[in-house]
Amino acid sequence: MAPEISRARVRRRRLCAASLAAAALTGSFVTATAASATTGAAAATASVAGTAPTWATRSADRGAVAAGSSVTSTVYLASQDQAGLEAYAAAVSTPGNALYHRYLSTSQFQSRYGTTTAQVTAVESWLRSAGLHAVSADGHSVEVSGTAAQTEAAYGTSLHSYAVKGKTYRAPSSDAKVPSSIAADVLTIDGLSSMSTIMKPSSLVSTAQVETQITGQKPTMTKSADGAYYVGQTPCSSYYGQAKDTNAPAENGTKDNPYVVCGYVPSQLRSAYGVGGVNGRGVTVAIIDAYGSGDILSDANMYAVNQGDQAFKSGQFLDTETPSLWTAQSACGGAAGWSPEEHIDVESVHAMAPGATVHYYASNSCNDSDMLAALQQIVDTHSADIVSNSWGEPVFSTTGNLAATVMAEYDQVLMQAAAEGIEMNFSSGDCGAEIPTTGCGTNDTSSQPQTDWPSSSAWATSVGGTSVAIGKHGQAEWNTAWGTDIFLNESTGWTEYGWYFGGGGGTSATVAQPWYQRWVVPNSLATTLPTGVTTSTKMRVTPDVSMDADPYTGFLVGQTQQLPDGSTGYGESAWGGTSLASPLFAGLQADAMELQGYQPIGFANPAIYARSGSFAYDDVTGNGPGTKAYNDMPTSDGTGTAYAVTFGDTQILAATRGYDDVTGVGTPNPLYLWSHLIW
C-alpha cells in the first residue's frame, strides 16, 4: 500500500514589494518592532513580515469579518539555527568549499538544524494561552483554530474582507505579531488569508492541441509500425528535416521546408545529449504532480517497449498517492487534467535514465499547501536523489500576488534539500516573460512581465527551454531558444498569427542575486527587470540551464486518452514545454550521478555555474541556424499545410553569448556527462 502524504498547511499568493526580496531569500520573515502597548502591562512583540497580503488594500476593504467566524491558521517553525542552515546549504553545494558534498543525513539535519521540541512547545504554549485550539503539530508547523475574534487577539491584527476581481477574501489588515520571546522560532504564519490559488503544469502542450486551438481541425489517428495510434497530423518528420513540404508557398524566400517532427523518441534524445554507457541505475528520481493516473505504469511500459526500451522492472516504479485525500479537483483540473503532465514526466525521465528508479508523488491538490507537503515528505525521508517539478505560477497576478509567507515556506524546504544533497529542478515556464498581453500571459493571470515561482527561488534549479534539431544519426544539428511564431497558410501566401509560447525566464523582482550567479550573470541583466525597471541591487535571473522544450521539436508521449474517433485507448503524440525540459534534465542528472560514482549532486546550481563557458554546454544565441528555419504543420486530412512555425522569438528576453535569460548557461551537450568524471 502506498504511503500517505502528510498534509502540511499552506496557501499562497503573491508578493508585490521588491523590499521583501532579502527576507524571502533567507527564509526569515520575522522582524522586530517596537514594543506595542496593550491594556495592562506592555508586551514586547515582533511583526511577521509578509503576513498581510499586498492585495489587502484600503480601497478593497469591505469591513471586518464576523467575530464568531471560524479561522484555521498555521505557524511555520524556523530552524533552530536559521542563519546556520542557509550558510551550510550554500557551503555544501559550492565547488571548492571545504564542506562541498559533505551532505547531512535526515537525522543529522534534524539534530543540527531541525526544529527542536522546545521550539514546538513554546509556540504551542503561546497559541493556547492566546485562546486558540491546537489542531495538529509536527516538526515543521503548528496548526490552530479559533474564532476570528480569538485569532485577531492572538496575532495582534484585524481580519477584514477584501474585494479582489469580483470575489471577496479574508485577510489581516496588518502583519501578524508574535511575542518577542518566540520570534526566533517562527518562520512565518499562513491561513490568515482565505485566498487559495492553484499551481499549474507549465503550460504543457501538444502540437495536435495547438492546431485544434488555431484552426479548429481535429487531430487524426494513424497506426504506427508498433501498432499504436499516432495522434496528430501527418505527414511529420521522424527526425529533423526528414519529411519535406514541397507544396506550400515560399516562406521568407525558402521552399521545401521540413514538416515538424512527429516527436523524438528516447534513443534520439539520449544520443543528442550524449547518454551512453550509463543509464541512471541505482539513482532515484522523484516526480511531483497533482493527483495520479491509474494507467501511468502500464502506459509507460507500453511506450518504452514500443520505442525499443525496457519496461520498468519490478520495484523500479514507485507510486505514492492518497486518492481519498484529493481535494479541489474542479479548480485544479482533476486527475484527467494532470494526466498528460504525469505521463510526460515519467516517460521522459525513464527515456533519459532507463535504469533509474522513478518515484511518483501525487500531491492531494494543486494548491501550494499540498505541493509543499509532497516536497517536505521527500526531504524528511530522503526518498529521492533528484526531484523534477513541472509546475509553477507567476508572482504577480491579476487575482492577487503570491504571498511572501509561501515563498518562505518553499525556501525552507529547498534549503533542507540542499543540506541533505537532494537536487530540486523546476520548469522555468512556457510563457516567456509572462507578458500580460499575450494569450498565455492572460491565461496565467500575469499582471506584469516577470519570472515564475518556484523556479525563481534562489534554492531551485530553473530549467529553461530550447528547440533542438536532432538529425538522422541522432546528432543535435542545432539548438536555439524556444519561442514560437505561427504563420497561417492562405494558399498564395502567409498571414502572421503571432507569438504563441516560449521558454520562461527573466530577472526576479523579489529574490536577490544568489552567490553562484555573481561572476556569470551580466550586471546589466541582474539589475533590469522584465518590466524595464532598473533595480539598485542585483537580483536572481532565470533559467539556470536549458533543454529541449519546444513541442515542434518535442517528445513522443504515450498515454491512454480519448482518441479522435471518440473511443478511449492508448495513443502517442508530440508534446513539449519546460514540463519536458525539467524531467529530461533530471534524467540526465541521474546519469551524471551514476557516472561520478553515486556521489549525490545535491543543489546543482553552484556546479552548473562553475561549468559556465566550458566544453560541457552549447552556448545558445539568438542568431543560430534555428532562428532562420521554418517548419510546416499539415492540415488534419494531410492534403495541405495549415500553418508554419518559426523558432527563436523570445520577445523581451534575449538569447545572447554567454549567460542569458532564455537558456541560462546554455544546454548540455554530449560532453556534459563526462565533465562529471573530472569535477
Side-chain angles (χ1 to χ4, degrees):
M1 182 176 178
E4 180 173 312
I5 294 179
S6 60
R7 302 194 66 192
R9 281 73 44 190
V10 199
R11 295 289 175 287
R12 91 208 207 93
R13 224 33 194 172
R14 308 185 153 216
L15 177 67
C16 203
S19 61
L20 292 178
L25 178 60
T26 62
S28 179
F29 281 84
V30 180
T31 56
T33 62
S36 60
T38 59
T39 55
T45 61
S47 289
V48 185
T51 45
T54 57
W55 46 263
T57 62
R58 182 173 298 179
S59 62
D61 194 338
R62 297 297 180 265
V65 301
S69 59
S70 178
V71 178
T72 299
S73 58
T74 303
V75 176
Y76 282 86
L77 304 171
S79 163
Q80 60 183 281
D81 181 3
Q82 193 68 32
L85 167 59
E86 181 176 359
Y88 193 88
V92 78
S93 307
T94 304
N97 191 290
L99 294 174
Y100 184 48
H101 280 178
R102 294 180 64 178
Y103 299 120
L104 303 178
S105 67
T106 53
S107 60
Q108 289 172 326
F109 176 87
Q110 179 57 39
S111 175
R112 190 178 302 184
Y113 298 114
T115 302
T116 65
T117 301
Q119 287 177 287
V120 177
T121 300
V123 171
E124 282 188 299
S125 297
W126 159 63
L127 290 167
R128 287 196 181 98
S129 68
L132 299 178
H133 308 286
V135 176
S136 64
D138 56 27
H140 302 291
S141 62
V142 177
E143 185 178 47
V144 291
S145 65
T147 65
Q150 291 170 323
T151 302
E152 290 173 327
Y155 294 118
T157 187
S158 298
L159 298 178
H160 283 217
S161 295
Y162 295 89
V164 181
K165 293 295 180 179
K167 295 184 178 181
T168 302
Y169 302 97
R170 181 192 69 235
S173 59
S174 61
D175 284 335
K177 298 178 180 62
V178 299
S180 296
S181 59
I182 63 164
D185 301 324
V186 176
L187 175 70
T188 191
I189 300 170
D190 203 5
L192 298 179
S193 163
S194 64
M195 179 182 282
S196 177
T197 58
I198 61 174
M199 190 71 75
K200 295 181 179 179
S202 293
S203 300
L204 179 71
V205 286
S206 74
T207 55
Q209 283 182 334
V210 174
E211 178 144 350
T212 300
Q213 292 166 1
I214 292 175
T215 70
Q217 298 180 24
K218 294 183 179 180
T220 57
M221 295 167 54
T222 307
K223 185 157 286 191
S224 305
D226 57 25
Y229 283 112
Y230 176 74
V231 180
Q233 279 67 12
T234 56
C236 55
S237 297
S238 58
Y239 57 86
Y240 188 85
Q242 181 251 344
K244 303 286 187 178
D245 182 3
T246 60
N247 297 317
E251 298 158 299
N252 198 25
T254 67
K255 281 189 63 66
D256 301 342
N257 290 299
Y259 283 113
V260 299
V261 296
C262 310
Y264 295 132
V265 299
S267 59
Q268 290 174 297
L269 288 165
R270 289 196 295 268
S271 176
Y273 290 106
V275 179
V278 290
N279 65 6
R281 184 183 299 108
V283 180
T284 298
V285 179
I287 294 165
I288 297 175
D289 289 316
Y291 314 122
S293 301
D295 52 25
I296 181 61
L297 180 57
S298 59
D299 283 354
N301 283 339
M302 180 177 292
Y303 175 78
V305 171
N306 285 351
Q307 311 313 323
D309 283 352
Q310 294 292 316
F312 283 104
K313 297 178 181 178
S314 177
Q316 192 185 354
F317 179 81
L318 306 174
D319 190 0
T320 295
E321 56 182 89
T322 52
S324 63
L325 298 180
W326 291 353
T327 61
Q329 293 195 56
S330 177
C332 294
W338 281 77
S339 179
E341 181 67 70
E342 180 182 356
H343 281 74
I344 195 173
D345 289 346
V346 171
E347 291 172 11
S348 53
V349 168
H350 191 53
M352 293 298 284
T357 296
V358 175
H359 193 157
Y360 178 74
Y361 283 83
S363 169
N364 289 329
S365 79
C366 64
N367 290 325
D368 282 308
S369 54
D370 289 318
M371 293 296 193
L372 278 161
L375 287 169
Q376 191 70 66
Q377 182 176 358
I378 291 170
V379 298
D380 282 347
T381 60
H382 205 133
S383 56
D385 304 295
I386 299 164
V387 185
S388 179
N389 303 280
S390 293
W391 37 268
E393 62 185 324
V395 174
F396 304 101
S397 170
T398 57
T399 57
N401 296 338
L402 178 63
T405 55
V406 175
M407 297 175 73
E409 292 153 19
Y410 272 103
D411 281 345
Q412 190 80 344
V413 69
L414 295 179
M415 282 192 286
Q416 181 178 345
E420 294 179 2
I422 301 172
E423 179 177 350
M424 289 285 185
N425 301 307
F426 287 85
S427 299
S428 70
D430 298 345
C431 192
E434 293 282 6
I435 299 174
T437 54
T438 62
C440 58
T442 299
N443 184 61
D444 289 346
T445 71
S446 176
S447 61
Q448 67 182 58
Q450 61 184 298
T451 59
D452 279 356
W453 182 269
S455 76
S456 57
S457 166
W459 298 99
T461 295
S462 175
V463 186
T466 63
S467 305
V468 184
I470 301 179
K472 183 176 182 179
H473 303 292
Q475 76 284 11
E477 295 183 346
W478 49 256
N479 284 275
T480 193
W482 171 37
T484 302
D485 282 321
I486 292 178
F487 296 84
L488 300 178
N489 183 11
E490 303 293 349
S491 299
T492 58
W494 300 88
T495 299
E496 184 173 359
Y497 184 85
W499 187 87
Y500 205 75
F501 40 37
T507 304
S508 171
T510 59
V511 181
Q513 183 182 70
W515 76 99
Y516 49 81
Q517 289 195 326
R518 289 174 188 162
W519 296 279
V520 178
V521 176
N523 290 339
S524 59
L525 184 58
T527 56
T528 305
L529 304 181
T531 58
V533 172
T534 300
T535 62
S536 58
T537 58
K538 298 174 186 177
M539 306 301 285
R540 162 86 158 120
V541 187
T542 64
D544 300 306
V545 69
S546 55
M547 292 190 76
D548 188 22
D550 187 345
Y552 295 102
T553 65
F555 181 54
L556 190 68
V557 176
Q559 60 180 317
T560 298
Q561 59 190 288
Q562 184 175 25
L563 299 170
D565 66 0
S567 65
T568 298
Y570 175 86
E572 297 172 353
S573 51
W575 289 80
T578 53
S579 288
L580 168 62
S582 179
L584 285 180
F585 187 67
L588 186 67
Q589 293 291 80
D591 298 324
M593 185 171 161
E594 179 190 355
L595 196 61
Q596 64 185 29
Y598 297 101
Q599 173 67 50
I601 293 173
F603 179 44
N605 286 8
I608 287 173
Y609 284 85
R611 289 174 170 82
S612 178
S614 75
F615 59 83
Y617 304 109
D618 284 340
D619 190 14
V620 182
T621 65
N623 57 4
T627 59
K628 302 176 179 65
Y630 287 80
N631 279 191
D632 293 349
M633 174 65 83
T635 55
S636 60
D637 60 9
T639 60
T641 300
Y643 62 91
V645 298
T646 62
F647 307 94
D649 182 356
T650 56
Q651 297 189 300
I652 62 175
L653 305 179
T656 62
R657 290 182 63 84
Y659 179 90
D660 59 63
D661 56 7
V662 186
T663 63
V665 300
T667 190
N669 63 30
L671 296 176
Y672 173 80
L673 278 181
W674 302 102
S675 72
H676 286 260
L677 285 174
I678 59 176
W679 281 74

